[in-house]
Amino acid sequence: MNKRSRLHLPAPPARPGERPDFSYVQISPAGAVARPEISVRARDIDYLAHELVRVLGDDAEAVGPWNPHLDPSDLQMGLRHMLLVRIFDERMQRTQRAGKISFYIRSLGEEAVSVAQCMALLPGDMLFPSYRNQGLHITRGMPIVDLMCQLLSNTRDMCKGRQLPVMYHSKANNIFTISGNLATQFPQAVGWAMAAAIKGEDHLAASWLGDGSTAAADFHHALTFAAVYQAPVILNVVNNQWAISTFQGYAGGEQRSFAARGSGYGVASIRVDGNDFLAVHAVTQWAAARARTGAGPTLIELVTYRVAGHSTSDDPSRYRAKDDHKFWPLGDPIQRLKAHLIRLGEWSEDRHETLIAELDALVAKSWQEAVTYGTLNEGPRLNADLMFEDVFKEMPQNLLRQRAAMRLQRT
Amino acid sequence: MNKRSRLHLPAPPARPGERPDFSYVQISPAGAVARPEISVRARDIDYLAHELVRVLGDDAEAVGPWNPHLDPSDLQMGLRHMLLVRIFDERMQRTQRAGKISFYIRSLGEEAVSVAQCMALLPGDMLFPSYRNQGLHITRGMPIVDLMCQLLSNTRDMCKGRQLPVMYHSKANNIFTISGNLATQFPQAVGWAMAAAIKGEDHLAASWLGDGSTAAADFHHALTFAAVYQAPVILNVVNNQWAISTFQGYAGGEQRSFAARGSGYGVASIRVDGNDFLAVHAVTQWAAARARTGAGPTLIELVTYRVAGHSTSDDPSRYRAKDDHKFWPLGDPIQRLKAHLIRLGEWSEDRHETLIAELDALVAKSWQEAVTYGTLNEGPRLNADLMFEDVFKEMPQNLLRQRAAMRLQRT
Amino acid sequence: MAHMNMIQALNSAMDVMLARDPAVVLMGEDIGYFGGVFRATEGLQRKYGEHRVLDTPIAEGGIVATAIGMGVNGLRPVAEIQFADYIYPGIDQIASELARLRFRSAGDFFAPVTIRTPCGGGIRGGQTHSQSPESIFTHICGIKVVMPSNPYDAKGLLIASIEDDDPVVFFEPKRLYNGPFDGDPNKPAVPWTSHPKGQVTEGYYTVPLGKAEIVRAGSDVTIITYGTMVFVAVAAAAALGLDAEIIDLRTLVPLDVDALCTSVKKTGRCVIAHEATRFSGFGAEILAVVQEECFWDLEAPIQRVAGWDTPYPHAFEWEYFPGQARVSEALKTVMEVT
Amino acid sequence: MAHMNMIQALNSAMDVMLARDPAVVLMGEDIGYFGGVFRATEGLQRKYGEHRVLDTPIAEGGIVATAIGMGVNGLRPVAEIQFADYIYPGIDQIASELARLRFRSAGDFFAPVTIRTPCGGGIRGGQTHSQSPESIFTHICGIKVVMPSNPYDAKGLLIASIEDDDPVVFFEPKRLYNGPFDGDPNKPAVPWTSHPKGQVTEGYYTVPLGKAEIVRAGSDVTIITYGTMVFVAVAAAAALGLDAEIIDLRTLVPLDVDALCTSVKKTGRCVIAHEATRFSGFGAEILAVVQEECFWDLEAPIQRVAGWDTPYPHAFEWEYFPGQARVSEALKTVMEVT
Ligand SMILES: Cc1ncc(C[n+]2csc(CCOP(=O)(O)OP(=O)(O)O)c2C)c(N)n1
Ligand SMILES: Cc1ncc(C[n+]2csc(CCOP(=O)(O)OP(=O)(O)O)c2C)c(N)n1
Ligand SMILES: [Mg+2]
Ligand SMILES: [Mg+2]
């Protein structure tokens, strides 16, 4: 081993103490990217995988062919959902720090992804989220208190105490159960969509995973099966630039966009400004229309930034520059939508403050209610017997016996 | 399920009784595809993943920028290797039918892939083959009798009776052990190449898998790791249009070329006429030069046709048109190289016949020798004790005991 | 009733279920137009359409994952893994997802997927076409594990598996596809036509999951086995003239503990036989359970007969296979003690 | 000698080996610049360079596969799987390739890969950060399986694993990273500084693979265990005032059968304890071996104490964990018989 290594090792935009260099992010001007017909063949739109669909310019004006021309009321709704996600996240982060929940994951800076995408879909569409898509639950109207009960593993926990915090689900809202194992949901969504197609139903499936998770085998399986069967599915890569401590170059993002992966499989693929509520909504609507008209699957790469640490177990100051998000060239999704609404004359600083206060109060009140159903260490607790249920539909003999043994042990 | 299914299901070029329609194969004229510098960036050569590099035209002339300008002696050597592969294959197929070996896999119609690629590489380059790359062993000079001993699981079997026929390896020739599990060798080759880079050595790794195998997770892992670390590796997809009974559309080939997959990951990718010895040699040389100069990995899609059944266990007449290969638009690699050599004045029908007779004799003689070392059912046999060796480097207690028990059982 | 070999019985099970339940779909490599490399799905695509009997890409992980998605969306997928040796690329989706959906979602989501896969050796398949990895799946809670030993059970168990709302991994001992096999490769092959379990009801019926079968009642010793080894055990006991009680587990999870213990309590002696490698094979769990439940009734240590702890070698298949000689040896050992 | 917790001991093992052998490379998710989510590789990239301590993509299958290729090309890779729960995507490359290379190539190729992975619960990780899948790997012939219970052994066993030319899956009970743990979460945490096994030689040494350790000699009963359960067993036996012989397996494959049998032949009673789910857990194999070898010496049925056959639930971690109460129960049961 006397010779010099030639192995290429991707380098991140900045390490602690360095000034972040985000010049690697290819940015198209707002309004600059053409919008093809929804019936277009995947192979004819490679450019969409390399350019960056943007609607909101620096002047907060909505421009270009991808402008979804949403009603101001929808924009206000979107703003509200994003703000609620952010306020909820902040509060839960503090709650974890105070030792009242065991774990939390914020989506700070990425709120537009879940909220705008969810708003562009129909309630019957099935969502297969990752752990950073709390915006989907909030947009689909899940009460905050229900989410908190999951975080507390308390007596009203929808998971009956079985899952780590943030691993929500909602059958009523068509949101699938979240897995701790990365990427597994991606090909499951494709299978769900295949079933919809087999049954001749109009619903589509949508799934989300992170830039780091694209390296997982399931990403490949999802794309292969989606392409082969032209499944009505929207596969979203949330490129927030970081896995845990490794930046997107370690998932291959240095060489090519993640959207380009999809093109390679013959899946229509779009790279979009993930912090631009309007652009995210527009591309999702386009993809949904494709899926519903039988034009096949779409991969969307949402370019955004993980402003938060990976989770409450993480300390990003160990591996990246502090305040690096301030250098992020695509801004903040909430600020951008707010500025746009103000420019439209449909919003104001005052209304914004009022809304924040309202949502703060909602979150605070929800927490007060949630803890009455029990907390991690105090108050009412779920019965531990529940641990033996739902392993199988009917409890087999070994579990019956073990449950009995556990009951004895507790008495 | 009263509505109509909308699931897309790929359809093959022909089912039994139909006339094959190969119009889906995109073919560029010989000499038409530009040859970029080896230092080119992957992202700048997407065209190479969609066009088809060809050197030998219908008139058997070598044309265009990819012409490798090989010496006639090299061409003759290539022809000899390809013929030997074909004759060996035919003989072994008959041997299996006669019940003398348990299984066989031919590479009929695909001989140029292994032979031309192997000739374009250096002996120190490490090869990670699939089961249809017997041409690599033959080109690297492995005696036919050694291959036959493996097929017979006899006393000179390099695998000591442990592997199914055709699962050869050769440490001396730098050819890795073949696995029955598809695609596993692809990311292993990348790891080997990463190690070469870490050690600062010049060798590269090359690996092969089929169109069907591209769906396996390991294909994705190979591309991801190759792209991230810019490993000196050549990843070859032998697109012979069929897996077992499913055609390449079931691996996603309907939507996009397999080479396009590589482009999506930012790996330089070339689609080449796999039945054109010169073109195959040229693109392999190009990829090898890239790897050796630190320009990174290359994916090569070799477009060819599986003229043979999948294996001796297969009956292709159940799922595809008989004699479909006669309609295959890219001809036969041996005929094409032969015609080229004749056109160059470096070969003749007579020399061809003589060579065939010589190789026939070589194969026949090798078989006569091989069976003296034992056959599946008669003659000398390996000691069954060998089954317990090489599970671990040193035999642990449980295996020592089990070996003793087996010895007792036999006595 | 009709004569069926095990392939025909499995085919009939899928045929019956495709006809009865529009939610049933089949999927797997080469299972569609071609009818499967072992022909288990022959004719079913023609009969039920390309949309009910799907060819798939060669990606076992993708097959299981999409089957899960389809199951969650109301279908009842029956996925074939071409050889059990190739189930490993799908094991994450099986262990981390399929087996866990119901639990982690508190019953809100589940996927009634059946995974069929041929296992076992004796067909000169070498180390990658002969494995019996069932023990691994028995350790993953949340999955049922089945392995039939004859056409009648195969059909009834497969129908029961497809109808079951829990995921099932269904192992098919491929050496038994064409006939019962007593472990002696030199004897002429016996077809299922000559065996009572080769008589199969043509329509719908089930063999319940979780119930072992007493293949032969007896009082000298209990042999607990499943799959290919059932016939080897029968032959070995007969050759020794033992009045053995032979139990075919049929379902490994949930395990029919009562059947095993009732028998061992009666006979006081026990031999366990399977084809999979011995170390941490399913025999270990069976032995553990029997020891725990029947310790005071045991008159001799329980013996295990299994494949050696090596890969299945192409050239030494019959030295590897736990044939009659090894079962006899174990039987003699437990009987010697008085 | 220095005080080290288990993370520091593992770090020291890798440090020593990186320095001694230029062929040693580390690889895994977040192990490079960041030093690993449990900080086991902290400082090593800075010390040995980015080319010896590699961050990788999040693809466990790709990590194992490329480690194999590197191993075949003369390196000695130590790959980290971030949590044992995430080893499944890599299991095909482990079972079908890593474990088989030497065998199928008749010794011509092999890959001396060590796979380190944190396992076990007790850290509120929920069902996907708490699993103990070791039993699965013990069934795959061709891999060695190791699980240390303290810093001293962890370092010596890891060095031995890295030096071993066979592949090793090295499980690290993460609940023991910071201190011994007797199963009572309500007691104040104990650091390794106060434990003799927290005294670790700074330089090179090995603890041989395949050798169990008698943690406590005794004559009443043998407790066979490994990993987190070692300390639970010690505490439970002490609380009952039993003169128990407690064996820490340390290596599961190859299993130190002699050590187990010598002890059980002496004590005549045996309890087996592990954290993994009981059904087809490694306890089954241990029980089977002890029963086979020591049947005539047993004065009571062997008892198993293990995790329940359910996923590890977030809210019921301590009801799930096989703590002192369950070990005591088993001890009482085997001791009751006279
Ligand atoms: C199969 C698997 N491997 C590793 C992990 C550990 N892990 C959890 S999150 C994470 C990083 C994921 O990054 P990315 O996909 O970019 O998502 P993000 O957190 O940025 O939203 C890792 C490595 C896991 N959960 N599952
Ligand atoms: C993981 C795995 N799944 C399934 C198989 C069974 N199988 C063997 S070859 C084959 C088809 C492979 O087709 P392709 O990759 O196109 O290679 P070709 O035979 O055409 O050279 C299949 C499905 C296998 N060997 N390994
Ligand atoms: Mg990310
Ligand atoms: Mg093919």
Side-chain angles (χ1 to χ4, degrees):
Chain A
M1 235 77 54
N2 32 19
K3 300 197 197 152
R4 243 186 89 68
S5 168
R6 298 168 168 201
L7 198 71
H8 172 75
L9 295 161
R15 288 302 189 187
E18 294 171 3
R19 192 191 153 91
D21 176 5
F22 286 117
S23 61
Y24 71 87
V25 184
Q26 304 279 326
I27 301 177
S28 313
V33 181
R35 180 182 185 280
E37 290 302 308
I38 58 157
S39 59
V40 71
R41 292 189 315 177
R43 70 185 74 168
D44 297 328
I45 49 168
D46 279 352
Y47 73 94
L48 281 179
H50 301 289
E51 302 185 26
L52 188 71
V53 173
R54 302 178 73 214
V55 172
L56 282 176
D58 293 343
D59 54 1
E61 189 120 39
V63 291
W66 288 95
N67 184 352
H69 299 290
L70 294 174
D71 267 3
S73 64
D74 284 334
L75 297 177
Q76 287 160 356
M77 179 74 78
L79 187 67
R80 183 193 169 89
H81 289 322
M82 290 200 288
L83 267 173
L84 180 51
V85 172
R86 187 166 292 184
I87 289 166
F88 171 59
D89 273 1
E90 275 167 20
R91 173 83 190 223
M92 292 305 100
Q93 173 85 6
R94 277 186 282 124
T95 303
Q96 192 279 338
R97 290 291 180 244
K100 292 191 177 140
I101 58 176
S102 64
F103 179 77
Y104 194 70
I105 294 186
R106 284 180 293 166
S107 60
L108 185 61
E110 307 174 33
E111 296 89 347
V113 169
S114 300
V115 174
Q117 293 206 273
C118 193
M119 286 178 68
L121 299 174
L122 298 177
D125 296 336
M126 184 76 190
L127 313 182
F128 290 79
S130 89
Y131 47 72
R132 214 182 289 282
N133 290 114
Q134 43 269 60
L136 298 176
H137 285 88
I138 286 181
T139 306
R140 286 236 162 139
M142 188 86 159
I144 293 292
V145 65
D146 289 1
L147 301 179
M148 288 170 167
C149 289
Q150 196 281 331
L151 299 173
L152 288 160
S153 289
N154 71 15
T155 55
R156 296 230 180 153
D157 171 11
M158 69 193 77
C159 303
K160 296 195 180 153
R162 293 169 188 157
Q163 286 247 66
L164 206 62
V166 316
M167 305 291 173
Y168 319 111
H169 70 271
S170 169
K171 194 168 161 68
N173 289 323
N174 287 321
I175 307 183
F176 193 63
T177 158
I178 297 167
S179 179
N181 305 65
L182 294 170
T184 47
Q185 72 277 15
F186 233 47
Q188 291 167 0
V190 174
W192 196 98
M194 288 169 63
I198 289 173
K199 295 192 281 179
E201 293 170 357
D202 278 339
H203 308 307
L204 58 84
S207 188
W208 287 262
L209 52 60
D211 47 303
S213 304
T214 61
D218 284 319
F219 175 75
H220 172 63
H221 295 145
L223 284 170
T224 305
F225 282 67
V228 166
Y229 302 106
Q230 293 288 292
V233 66
I234 305 178
L235 297 169
N236 301 295
V237 176
V238 185
N239 180 1
N240 63 8
Q241 315 299 316
W242 292 90
I244 297 180
S245 71
T246 52
F247 94 116
Q248 49 122 29
Y250 271 97
E254 229 187 7
Q255 306 297 331
R256 224 73 208 272
S257 73
F258 292 98
R261 300 270 199 296
S263 307
Y265 291 81
V267 170
S269 299
I270 314 183
R271 196 165 159 264
V272 65
D273 177 346
N275 290 2
D276 177 340
F277 185 92
L278 296 177
V280 171
H281 192 284
V283 299
T284 308
Q285 239 176 0
W286 186 87
R290 275 181 71 82
R292 272 188 247 284
T293 56
T298 304
L299 178 82
I300 302 176
E301 173 183 350
L302 300 119
V303 180
T304 181
Y305 202 71
R306 198 197 78 203
V307 177
H310 169 71
S311 72
T312 49
S313 309
D314 182 38
D315 174 6
S317 73
R318 295 186 96 110
Y319 54 80
R320 68 181 194 183
K322 233 187 135 196
D323 289 341
D324 50 355
H325 65 274
K326 296 202 175 130
F327 299 86
W328 177 244
L330 299 174
D332 175 81
I334 294 185
Q335 290 311 319
R336 286 172 70 190
L337 184 57
K338 175 185 164 201
H340 177 60
L341 270 166
I342 289 176
R343 187 172 172 123
L344 289 178
E346 298 284 351
W347 201 243
S348 68
E349 291 293 350
D350 270 5
R351 289 175 71 177
H352 201 75
E353 289 314 310
T354 313
L355 178 58
I356 288 178
E358 181 200 325
L359 298 175
D360 263 335
L362 170 66
V363 170
K365 198 169 141 279
S366 302
W367 180 253
Q368 276 162 13
E369 181 183 343
V371 294
T372 64
Y373 307 126
T375 65
L376 205 50
N377 306 309
E378 291 161 18
R381 269 198 89 199
L382 288 168
N383 187 331
D385 277 11
L386 282 171
M387 165 165 56
F388 298 95
E389 288 176 16
D390 298 322
V391 180
F392 293 97
K393 192 174 179 185
E394 273 158 39
M395 209 179 292
Q397 202 192 21
N398 59 329
L399 289 180
L400 287 168
R401 285 187 174 204
Q402 292 179 10
R403 189 178 61 181
M406 188 202 62
R407 285 177 179 163
L408 270 181
Q409 169 194 325
R410 279 188 301 166
T411 53
Chain B
M1 237 75 53
N2 32 18
K3 300 198 195 151
R4 244 186 87 71
S5 168
R6 298 170 167 196
L7 199 71
H8 172 74
L9 296 160
R15 288 301 189 190
E18 295 171 2
R19 191 191 153 93
D21 176 5
F22 286 118
S23 61
Y24 70 87
V25 184
Q26 304 281 326
I27 300 177
S28 313
V33 181
R35 180 182 186 280
E37 291 302 308
I38 59 156
S39 59
V40 72
R41 291 190 316 176
R43 71 186 73 170
D44 296 329
I45 49 168
D46 278 352
Y47 72 94
L48 281 178
H50 301 290
E51 302 185 26
L52 188 71
V53 173
R54 303 178 72 213
V55 171
L56 282 177
D58 292 342
D59 55 2
E61 189 119 40
V63 291
W66 288 95
N67 183 351
H69 300 289
L70 295 174
D71 267 3
S73 63
D74 283 335
L75 297 177
Q76 287 159 356
M77 178 73 78
L79 187 67
R80 182 192 168 91
H81 289 322
M82 290 200 288
L83 267 173
L84 181 52
V85 172
R86 186 165 292 183
I87 289 166
F88 171 60
D89 273 1
E90 275 167 18
R91 173 84 189 219
M92 292 305 100
Q93 173 85 6
R94 278 187 281 123
T95 303
Q96 193 278 340
R97 289 290 180 245
K100 294 192 174 140
I101 58 177
S102 64
F103 180 76
Y104 194 69
I105 294 186
R106 285 181 292 167
S107 61
L108 185 61
E110 307 173 32
E111 295 89 348
V113 169
S114 300
V115 173
Q117 293 205 272
C118 193
M119 285 177 69
L121 299 174
L122 298 177
D125 296 337
M126 184 76 190
L127 313 182
F128 290 78
S130 90
Y131 47 72
R132 214 182 289 280
N133 291 114
Q134 43 269 58
L136 298 175
H137 286 89
I138 286 181
T139 305
R140 286 234 163 141
M142 187 87 159
I144 293 292
V145 65
D146 289 2
L147 301 180
M148 289 170 167
C149 289
Q150 196 281 331
L151 299 173
L152 287 161
S153 290
N154 71 15
T155 54
R156 295 231 181 152
D157 171 11
M158 70 194 75
C159 303
K160 296 196 180 152
R162 293 167 188 158
Q163 287 247 67
L164 206 63
V166 316
M167 304 292 173
Y168 319 112
H169 69 271
S170 168
K171 194 168 160 73
N173 290 322
N174 288 321
I175 307 183
F176 193 62
T177 158
I178 298 167
S179 180
N181 305 64
L182 294 171
T184 47
Q185 72 278 13
F186 234 46
Q188 291 167 0
V190 174
W192 196 97
M194 286 168 64
I198 289 173
K199 295 192 282 180
E201 292 170 358
D202 279 338
H203 309 306
L204 58 85
S207 189
W208 287 261
L209 53 60
D211 46 304
S213 303
T214 61
D218 284 319
F219 175 75
H220 173 62
H221 296 145
L223 284 170
T224 305
F225 281 68
V228 166
Y229 301 106
Q230 294 288 294
V233 66
I234 306 178
L235 297 169
N236 301 295
V237 176
V238 185
N239 180 1
N240 63 7
Q241 315 301 315
W242 293 89
I244 297 180
S245 72
T246 52
F247 94 115
Q248 50 123 26
Y250 271 98
E254 230 188 6
Q255 305 298 331
R256 225 72 207 273
S257 74
F258 293 99
R261 300 269 198 296
S263 307
Y265 290 81
V267 170
S269 299
I270 315 183
R271 196 166 159 263
V272 66
D273 177 347
N275 289 3
D276 177 341
F277 184 93
L278 296 177
V280 172
H281 192 285
V283 299
T284 309
Q285 240 177 358
W286 185 87
R290 274 181 73 80
R292 272 188 249 284
T293 55
T298 303
L299 177 82
I300 302 176
E301 174 184 349
L302 301 119
V303 180
T304 180
Y305 203 70
R306 198 197 78 205
V307 177
H310 169 71
S311 72
T312 49
S313 309
D314 182 37
D315 174 7
S317 73
R318 295 186 95 111
Y319 54 79
R320 68 181 194 183
K322 234 189 132 192
D323 290 340
D324 49 354
H325 66 274
K326 295 201 177 132
F327 298 88
W328 177 245
L330 299 175
D332 175 82
I334 294 184
Q335 290 311 318
R336 285 173 71 189
L337 183 58
K338 174 185 166 201
H340 176 58
L341 270 166
I342 290 176
R343 186 170 175 125
L344 290 178
E346 297 285 350
W347 200 244
S348 69
E349 291 293 350
D350 271 5
R351 289 174 72 176
H352 202 73
E353 289 313 309
T354 313
L355 178 59
I356 288 179
E358 181 199 324
L359 298 175
D360 264 335
L362 170 67
V363 170
K365 198 167 143 281
S366 302
W367 181 253
Q368 277 161 13
E369 181 184 343
V371 294
T372 64
Y373 307 127
T375 66
L376 205 51
N377 306 308
E378 290 161 18
R381 270 198 89 199
L382 288 168
N383 187 331
D385 277 11
L386 283 170
M387 164 164 57
F388 298 94
E389 288 175 18
D390 299 322
V391 179
F392 293 97
K393 191 174 180 185
E394 273 158 40
M395 209 178 295
Q397 201 191 22
N398 60 327
L399 288 180
L400 286 167
R401 286 186 174 205
Q402 292 179 11
R403 188 179 63 184
M406 189 203 63
R407 285 178 179 161
L408 269 181
Q409 169 193 325
R410 280 188 302 168
T411 53
Chain C
M1 293 294 247
H3 286 304
M4 294 189 198
N5 64 26
M6 201 191 284
I7 285 290
Q8 290 162 334
L10 293 164
N11 185 289
S12 172
M14 292 184 270
D15 192 352
V16 164
M17 289 310 293
L18 282 162
R20 276 173 76 97
D21 183 352
V24 171
V25 292
L26 315 185
M27 57 196 295
E29 298 159 14
D30 300 296
I31 69 140
Y33 187 91
F34 187 50
V37 296
F38 290 105
R39 328 235 36 82
T41 54
E42 176 138 46
L44 298 178
Q45 184 179 81
R46 216 175 319 114
K47 191 160 171 192
Y48 296 98
E50 290 189 300
H51 299 261
R52 303 275 312 276
V53 183
L54 302 179
D55 279 314
T56 64
I58 305 174
E60 290 76 12
I63 292 170
V64 178
T66 51
I68 291 172
M70 291 164 79
V72 169
N73 197 358
L75 299 185
R76 212 166 262 283
V78 184
E80 177 179 302
I81 301 295
Q82 203 165 78
F83 285 87
D85 313 65
Y86 305 141
I87 202 167
Y88 297 109
I91 210 170
D92 185 46
Q93 284 283 347
I94 297 173
S96 307
E97 297 290 319
L98 187 54
R100 296 290 160 87
L101 288 188
R102 186 188 293 279
F103 185 80
R104 76 179 202 229
S105 71
D108 284 342
F109 293 103
F110 69 97
V113 174
T114 301
I115 298 174
R116 292 179 40 241
T117 188
C119 68
I123 60 152
R124 270 191 170 143
Q127 55 126 9
T128 58
H129 298 85
S130 307
Q131 292 170 48
S132 297
E134 68 274 6
S135 149
I136 290 173
F137 295 89
T138 64
H139 185 51
I140 298 167
C141 53
I143 319 175
K144 294 182 176 168
V145 180
V146 175
M147 195 188 296
S149 70
N150 61 67
Y152 183 86
D153 286 354
K155 178 172 173 181
L157 288 166
L158 183 54
I159 291 178
S161 300
I162 296 172
E163 289 189 328
D164 201 290
D165 278 346
D166 289 318
V168 178
V169 182
F170 189 96
F171 289 97
E172 304 170 0
K174 57 176 120 50
R175 176 73 207 205
L176 299 182
Y177 275 160
N178 294 316
F181 172 67
D182 72 4
D184 184 346
N186 300 317
K187 276 205 209 142
V190 185
W192 279 113
T193 38
S194 59
H195 193 282
K197 291 284 192 171
Q199 284 278 89
V200 179
T201 315
E202 272 156 296
Y204 170 92
Y205 69 93
T206 60
V207 170
L209 303 187
K211 288 269 158 271
E213 184 180 48
I214 298 177
V215 174
R216 183 191 186 286
S219 57
D220 289 349
V221 54
T222 302
I223 309 182
I224 304 173
T225 184
Y226 55 92
T228 315
M229 292 301 291
V230 169
F231 304 97
V232 180
V234 169
L240 292 180
L242 281 177
D243 184 25
E245 179 141 308
I246 301 176
I247 300 183
D248 177 357
L249 287 181
R250 305 197 291 195
T251 301
L252 281 55
V253 177
L255 182 65
D256 190 350
V257 175
D258 291 344
L260 310 186
C261 294
T262 307
S263 177
V264 177
K265 283 187 175 147
K266 181 175 75 178
T267 62
R269 298 171 203 265
C270 179
V271 167
I272 297 162
H274 58 58
E275 195 181 342
T277 49
R278 173 186 179 106
F279 201 84
S280 286
F282 191 58
E285 179 61 34
I286 302 172
L287 191 153
V289 167
V290 172
Q291 190 269 177
E292 285 156 356
E293 305 287 323
C294 312
F295 182 80
W296 301 109
D297 303 289
L298 286 174
E299 288 171 42
I302 307 164
Q303 297 286 321
R304 286 184 289 171
V305 183
W308 306 125
D309 292 329
T310 80
Y312 220 116
H314 181 251
F316 311 118
E317 204 165 43
W318 301 115
E319 286 88 348
Y320 180 91
F321 186 87
Q324 285 184 39
R326 265 142 76 186
V327 178
S328 299
E329 201 55 50
L331 285 169
K332 281 189 234 155
T333 307
V334 289
M335 293 313 297
E336 255 163 28
V337 184
T338 43
Chain D
M1 294 293 247
H3 287 304
M4 293 189 198
N5 64 26
M6 203 191 283
I7 284 290
Q8 291 162 333
L10 293 164
N11 185 289
S12 172
M14 292 184 271
D15 193 351
V16 165
M17 289 311 294
L18 282 162
R20 276 173 76 98
D21 184 351
V24 171
V25 291
L26 315 185
M27 58 197 295
E29 297 159 15
D30 300 296
I31 70 140
Y33 187 92
F34 186 50
V37 295
F38 290 105
R39 327 233 41 80
T41 54
E42 176 137 45
L44 298 178
Q45 185 181 78
R46 215 175 320 115
K47 190 159 170 191
Y48 297 98
E50 290 188 302
H51 299 259
R52 304 275 312 277
V53 183
L54 302 180
D55 279 314
T56 64
I58 304 173
E60 290 76 11
I63 291 170
V64 178
T66 51
I68 291 173
M70 291 163 80
V72 169
N73 197 357
L75 298 185
R76 210 166 263 282
V78 184
E80 177 179 300
I81 301 295
Q82 203 165 79
F83 285 88
D85 314 65
Y86 304 141
I87 202 166
Y88 298 108
I91 210 170
D92 185 46
Q93 284 282 349
I94 296 173
S96 307
E97 297 290 319
L98 187 54
R100 296 289 159 88
L101 287 188
R102 186 188 293 280
F103 185 80
R104 75 178 203 229
S105 71
D108 285 342
F109 293 103
F110 69 97
V113 174
T114 301
I115 299 174
R116 293 179 40 241
T117 189
C119 68
I123 61 151
R124 274 193 168 141
Q127 54 126 9
T128 58
H129 298 85
S130 307
Q131 292 170 48
S132 297
E134 68 275 5
S135 150
I136 290 174
F137 296 89
T138 64
H139 185 51
I140 297 167
C141 53
I143 318 174
K144 295 182 176 169
V145 181
V146 174
M147 194 187 299
S149 70
N150 60 67
Y152 183 87
D153 285 354
K155 177 171 173 180
L157 288 166
L158 183 54
I159 291 178
S161 299
I162 295 172
E163 289 189 328
D164 201 290
D165 278 346
D166 289 319
V168 178
V169 182
F170 190 96
F171 289 97
E172 305 171 0
K174 56 176 121 49
R175 176 73 207 207
L176 299 182
Y177 276 160
N178 293 316
F181 172 67
D182 72 5
D184 184 347
N186 300 317
K187 276 205 210 144
V190 186
W192 280 113
T193 38
S194 60
H195 194 281
K197 290 284 192 172
Q199 283 278 87
V200 178
T201 314
E202 271 156 299
Y204 171 92
Y205 69 93
T206 60
V207 170
L209 302 189
K211 288 268 158 270
E213 184 181 47
I214 298 177
V215 173
R216 183 192 187 286
S219 57
D220 288 348
V221 54
T222 302
I223 308 181
I224 304 173
T225 184
Y226 55 92
T228 315
M229 293 300 291
V230 169
F231 304 97
V232 180
V234 170
L240 292 181
L242 280 177
D243 184 25
E245 180 141 307
I246 301 175
I247 299 182
D248 177 358
L249 286 183
R250 305 196 291 195
T251 302
L252 281 54
V253 177
L255 182 64
D256 191 349
V257 176
D258 291 344
L260 310 187
C261 294
T262 306
S263 177
V264 176
K265 284 188 174 144
K266 181 175 73 177
T267 63
R269 298 170 203 264
C270 179
V271 167
I272 297 162
H274 59 58
E275 197 180 341
T277 49
R278 173 186 178 106
F279 200 84
S280 285
F282 191 58
E285 179 61 33
I286 303 172
L287 191 154
V289 166
V290 173
Q291 191 269 177
E292 285 156 356
E293 304 286 324
C294 313
F295 183 80
W296 301 110
D297 303 289
L298 286 174
E299 288 170 44
I302 307 164
Q303 298 287 320
R304 288 185 287 171
V305 183
W308 307 125
D309 292 328
T310 80
Y312 220 117
H314 181 253
F316 312 118
E317 203 165 43
W318 301 114
E319 286 87 350
Y320 180 92
F321 185 87
Q324 286 185 38
R326 265 141 78 186
V327 178
S328 299
E329 201 56 49
L331 285 169
K332 282 188 233 154
T333 307
V334 289
M335 293 313 296
E336 255 163 30
V337 184
T338 42

